[in-house]
Amino acid sequence: QVQLVESGGGLVQAGGSLRLSCTASGSIFSIRRMNWYRQAPGKQRELVARIASGGGTNYADSVKGRFTISRDDAKNMLYLQMNNLKPEDAAVYYCMYDFGLDQFWGQGTQVTVSS
């Protein structure tokens, strides 16, 4: 079983930066995709960024040029560098590790952006 824990969320002013981390524990074999999702109140959960095992990345249009996803396979960790944050980025951010046959989610970390 795999357990994920996000960290790095908090309150930041518009234009500021945060770096989110996702730490995994448990039995880790290989991870096909590592993902960051977010969900704001009253909205659908959306994929923010994804990084595949080969390093390929994908970003939501709303965060392109501002967010950078990275992974450290030696540590089974996932990161999201968020720059030039906007009020619309405020949400609970979740990491998700996709093993193909199974997916595991963290509990989320709150990001609040003041205007």
Side-chain angles (χ1 to χ4, degrees):
Q1 192 70 267
V2 176
Q3 295 180 346
L4 306 179
V5 179
E6 302 93 342
S7 62
L11 173 63
V12 65
Q13 294 186 51
S17 298
L18 287 173
R19 189 183 191 226
L20 306 184
S21 299
C22 181
T23 302
S25 63
S27 180
I28 306 295
F29 182 66
S30 64
I31 308 170
R32 292 186 178 183
R33 295 174 175 176
M34 294 178 170
N35 311 270
W36 285 104
Y37 286 78
R38 69 185 182 189
Q39 187 169 26
K43 296 183 179 180
Q44 295 285 102
R45 184 173 296 182
E46 66 171 337
L47 177 65
V48 177
R50 168 179 290 156
I51 183 166
S53 59
T57 59
N58 202 326
Y59 296 91
D61 288 341
S62 60
V63 307
K64 286 181 179 178
R66 300 187 297 117
F67 290 12
T68 302
I69 188 171
S70 60
R71 60 191 285 170
D72 184 340
D73 289 321
K75 299 179 179 179
N76 295 317
M77 292 190 68
L78 175 68
Y79 306 94
L80 184 67
Q81 178 66 47
M82 305 186 294
N83 297 326
N84 191 23
L85 282 160
K86 302 176 180 180
E88 52 263 42
D89 295 318
V92 177
Y93 283 71
Y94 301 88
C95 57
M96 188 271 275
Y97 288 9
D98 184 355
F99 292 84
L101 297 177
D102 295 290
Q103 299 84 41
F104 297 91
W105 293 80
Q107 296 301 306
T109 185
Q110 178 71 54
V111 172
T112 303
V113 184
S114 62
S115 60

